[in-house]
Amino acid sequence: MEWILDHLDDIKSLGLQHVWLSGVPLLLGLVIAIPVGWLATRTRWLRGILITGSGLLYTIPSLALFVLMPLVLGTSILDPLNVVVAMTIYTIALLVRSVVDGLTSVPDEVARSATAMGYTSVRRFFGVDLPLAVPVIAAGLRVAAVSSVSMVSIASLIGVDQLGDLLIDGFNRKIAGELLAGILASVLLAVAFDLLIRLAEHTLTPWRRVQQGASA
C-alpha cells in the first residue's frame, strides 16, 4: 500500500489513459456494430457471413494486431491510435452477434403492430426494435468492456502507456505494490465500465421497471 500511496499521481495518469484507450473503442464499436447487425437481420444470406466474419476478427492475437496497425494506418508504433483502432475491431467482433440476437429477439407481434400503426422501417428500428434490443446489446457490451480493459494492457509491450505499465514494470522490478496497483486499478476500471453500462441500460429501458413493479 505504501507504494500505491506514493505514486497516486502516476496511477491516475495511467488510469485516465487506459480509460481513453478502452472506452473510446467501446463507443465506436457499438456505433458500427448496430448498423452491421441491423444489415445482418435484414439480409438473410449476409447474416452468416457477417456473424462469422466478425467472430473471426476476435481470433487475431491482440499483440499482432497492435503491431499491424502502423502498417495499415501509416502511424508510428507508439501512436495510441493503433490501440484505439485495434480495440474497436475487437469490440465490433464481439458486438455484432449481440446486436443480431437483440434485434431478432423482438417479438413478431410487436413488430407487426408497429408496422400496422404506420411506422416506417427506420422509425420502427429506432422507436421499437432497437429499444427492445437494449438488454441483449448491453449484455454483450459489458463483456466487450471487460475484454477491452484487459486487452489494452498488452499495449504496454509496444510502448503505449496505460495501466499495463504498472504490471510489466512491477513484474520486471519485483515491486509487489506496483503489481497490486495495476491489478486493482484494472479491476476497478472494469467494474466502473460495467456499472456505467448497467446504468445506461436501466435508463433506456423504463418499461422493464414498470414490469418489475407490476410483478412485485
Side-chain angles (χ1 to χ4, degrees):
M1 287 299 296
E2 182 178 350
W3 189 95
I4 295 177
L5 295 176
D6 290 340
H7 295 81
L8 287 178
D9 288 340
D10 294 333
I11 296 171
K12 178 182 177 181
S13 177
L14 292 172
L16 290 175
Q17 181 73 353
H18 205 109
V19 169
W20 184 76
L21 292 173
S22 54
V24 171
L26 283 176
L27 295 176
L28 293 176
L30 178 61
V31 169
I32 296 171
I34 287 176
V36 173
W38 174 83
L39 182 61
T41 62
R42 300 287 292 184
T43 312
R44 184 176 297 275
W45 67 270
L46 268 180
R47 182 179 302 184
I49 295 175
L50 291 175
I51 291 177
T52 302
S54 60
L56 288 175
L57 291 175
Y58 199 74
T59 65
I60 303 173
S62 55
L63 184 57
L65 194 56
F66 291 156
V67 173
L68 179 63
M69 282 298 103
L71 301 177
V72 176
L73 301 175
T75 55
S76 69
I77 189 68
L78 297 179
D79 195 328
L81 181 62
N82 300 322
V83 180
V84 172
V85 174
M87 295 312 304
T88 299
I89 291 173
Y90 284 128
T91 301
I92 295 170
L94 287 173
L95 285 185
V96 167
R97 179 178 288 276
S98 295
V99 173
V100 171
D101 289 344
L103 294 176
T104 54
S105 70
V106 176
D108 290 337
E109 59 270 21
V110 173
R112 288 195 296 268
S113 297
T115 301
M117 292 173 63
Y119 276 64
T120 63
S121 59
V122 174
R123 184 185 175 194
R124 198 191 83 185
F125 175 74
F126 287 104
V128 179
D129 297 348
L130 187 58
L132 290 177
V134 164
V136 178
I137 296 174
L141 191 61
R142 289 169 58 199
V143 174
V146 174
S147 175
S148 183
V149 170
S150 175
M151 294 176 71
V152 163
S153 299
I154 300 174
S156 291
L157 296 175
I158 60 172
V160 178
D161 293 334
Q162 28 68 37
L163 292 174
D165 292 3
L166 301 176
L167 301 173
I168 292 177
D169 190 64
F171 176 79
N172 290 336
R173 298 170 60 191
K174 295 181 173 57
I175 303 176
E178 189 173 10
L179 270 173
L180 180 62
I183 294 171
L184 288 178
S186 297
V187 170
L188 289 175
L189 180 56
V191 170
F193 276 151
D194 188 81
L195 291 176
L196 284 174
I197 295 170
R198 284 177 176 268
L199 178 61
E201 178 189 358
H202 182 76
T203 303
L204 294 172
T205 55
W207 62 86
R208 299 186 75 191
R209 299 194 294 275
V210 174
Q211 291 174 345
Q212 291 170 357
S215 61

